[in-house]
Every structure is written in structure tokens, then in C-alpha cells.
Amino acid sequence: MNIFLKNPMALSGLIIILTILILALIAPIIAPYDPNFIDINSILFPPSIDHLMGTDGLGRDVFSRMLYGAQISLLVGFVAVGIATLIGVILGSLAGFYRGWVDSLIMRFVDIMLSIPTFFLILAVIAFLSPSIWNIMIVIGLTSWMGVTRLVRAEFFSLRQREYVLAAETMGSSHSSIIIKHLLPNSLTPIIVSSVLGIASAVLVESGLSFLGLGVQAPTASWGNILTDGKEYIQFAWWLSLFPGLAILITVLGYNLLGEGLRDVLDPKNKD
């Protein structure tokens, strides 16, 4: 804990992420307006006391939509990374533990997936599906597990011949018991770091898809589709592009700082 508090990257990232998470959770309480309320008398108002981040082309309060958009972005990040981590841990564990033809088969599949540009693969899949938030989370998760697989496989390779693993095998422990009780707990550091960094990537992908009109659909607010609305008025309604852009930047920065900080903190070489 002391190492974490002394690490400025980890601490800064944690503060940023907790702030955004709290704002997203209390959005229904602190949002001054309904995010989907259309007010034709308040179209494209600049930031003011009544509308802290201005209004959009339909008179909707941008601050309220930003708060609710944080819920969508964080939800997509957590669920998509959860799916990717689950798949990656299962496949990486099998490859690293059994090796041989199991490892070769899984890693060749990983190589095939890595040879395909992930964002274009997501675009291709979304094009055949209805663009909903659940489809986006599932598709991002199903196309983002390769890095976790390789990390877990590498950890299992280094741990497979440790004395406590060999002792467990000698005592007749089942393969699943060895994996769950001995190997996975000692492989958590790269999994945690990869998951935290993966949330940043998922937020970026969701924002990009929503910006292109293939992500979260109106009237549901997300940072990406707020940016899309802003591109039509960018010459005179700067706030529609500035605030969601900053939100995405700060969120991604926060997760990257937290991930890099956790890597330093959880590294055994940095412990007293």
C-alpha cells in the first residue's frame, strides 16, 4: 500500500478514474436536466450558469449528456474487458499448462487474430449486426483477448516448473486444481495491468464507433455521438467537440497512468 501511495502515476490515475466513476454513478442526482430533453428555445447556447457545457443542436444540455455518457463509456469498458480477460485467461492457461499441440493450436489462432486489424474487424462485424450497446461490448470483448492470452501463457511457462507446482502434481492434484490454486494466483499481476490498460482501449473503440454512427445510437448519450453532433457545428459551437474530446482524453490517460503505475507497484522487484 505504501508503494502505491508513493507512486505518482498510480495515484494520479486512481484519482482520475474514481472521480469519473463517481460522477457517472451519481449522474441521475447531479445532472441538472434530462439528457434527452429537447428545448428548441435553447439551441446551441454557449457554456453559461444555466448550461455549464452549453447545449447542442437540439437544445439538449451537454453537461447532463456528458454525465450519462460517462456511464455508457465505463460500462462498455468494464464489460468488454471482462469478456476479453475471461477468454484470454482460459486460452492462455490451456496453452501454457498443456503446451505441445494444444499450445500450437491456440497460438496459431492468436496469430491469425492478430494479423487482422482489430478496429476494421469490429467495423465489419458491427456492419452485420444492429449497432446496440450490448453488441458493441460483446464484439469488442471477442476481438481483444489475444494480448491477455499471450501474457497468461508466458506466465504459465515460467511457473510450470516451479517446485510447488511439481509438488502438487506429485501429490495427485488435478490439472484444474493446479491451474486455479497455484498458477493463476501467481499470474495476476500482468492480468490486472492488462485489464486496466484494456479498459482505456475499449473506451477509445466505443467512442470511435459511436462517432462513426456504428456505436451507441441516439438518443442515448455517449461521448462518441456527442462528438458526432459537434462536427456539424465545429466552426461556431466549439464546446460540442471540446468537452467530449477532453473527457475521452482524460479517461484514457487515467487508465494508462493507473495501469503503468500498477505495473510498477505490483512488480516484486519494487517491493521492500
Side-chain angles (χ1 to χ4, degrees), residues 6-268:
K6 293 178 181 178
N7 189 295
M9 284 198 304
L11 195 57
S12 299
L14 181 63
I15 292 172
I16 292 172
I17 297 308
L18 285 179
T19 302
I20 295 172
L21 182 60
I22 292 171
L23 289 175
L25 291 175
I26 64 175
I29 300 174
I30 64 174
Y33 301 92
D34 183 329
N36 298 322
F37 177 69
I38 297 174
D39 184 0
I40 60 174
N41 296 315
S42 303
I43 293 176
L44 296 178
F45 277 20
S48 63
I49 296 178
D50 293 329
H51 300 283
L52 296 179
M53 294 184 179
T55 61
D56 62 11
L58 296 176
R60 296 173 297 190
D61 182 64
V62 175
F63 179 62
S64 300
R65 291 180 63 77
M66 288 291 298
L67 291 173
Y68 279 88
Q71 294 180 338
I72 298 296
S73 295
L74 294 178
L75 178 63
V76 170
F78 284 122
V79 175
V81 169
I83 294 172
T85 301
L86 178 62
I87 296 173
V89 167
I90 292 173
L91 294 180
S93 299
L94 293 175
F97 187 84
Y98 290 106
R99 306 187 180 186
W101 67 269
V102 176
D103 176 44
S104 297
L105 181 63
I106 292 175
M107 295 315 296
R108 295 301 75 75
F109 183 47
V110 169
D111 292 339
I112 292 171
M113 292 295 295
L114 288 173
S115 68
I116 305 173
T118 303
F119 192 75
F120 292 106
L121 177 60
I122 294 173
L123 286 177
V125 175
I126 290 293
F128 290 99
L129 302 173
S130 58
S132 69
I133 183 173
W134 293 106
N135 286 339
I136 291 169
M137 291 188 292
I138 293 171
V139 170
I140 294 176
L142 292 178
T143 54
S144 309
W145 50 267
M146 295 80 74
V148 180
T149 300
R150 298 178 78 172
L151 284 173
V152 174
R153 171 183 177 268
E155 287 295 311
F156 272 46
F157 265 39
S158 65
L159 297 172
R160 187 69 174 83
Q161 300 302 318
R162 297 287 177 88
E163 290 80 2
Y164 57 87
V165 176
L166 296 176
E169 287 183 322
T170 302
M171 294 173 64
S173 298
S174 65
H175 290 173
S176 59
S177 175
I178 295 173
I179 291 173
I180 294 172
K181 293 182 178 180
H182 300 287
L183 295 177
L184 274 180
N186 290 287
S187 306
L188 285 180
T189 296
I191 295 173
I192 293 172
V193 172
S194 176
S195 297
V196 172
L197 295 175
I199 295 175
S201 299
V203 170
L204 275 178
V205 171
E206 182 277 323
S207 299
L209 290 172
S210 296
F211 180 78
L212 295 173
L214 296 172
V216 178
Q217 299 297 294
T220 304
S222 82
W223 293 339
N225 60 30
I226 296 174
L227 269 175
T228 300
D229 295 338
K231 71 179 181 181
E232 300 180 14
Y233 312 104
I234 193 169
Q235 293 182 339
F236 52 88
W238 51 267
W239 56 90
L240 291 178
S241 300
L242 176 64
F243 293 122
L246 281 177
I248 295 170
L249 172 64
I250 292 172
T251 301
V252 172
L253 176 63
Y255 278 112
N256 283 332
L257 287 175
L258 181 59
E260 293 296 333
L262 284 175
R263 179 178 292 159
D264 293 340
V265 170
L266 296 176
D267 189 340

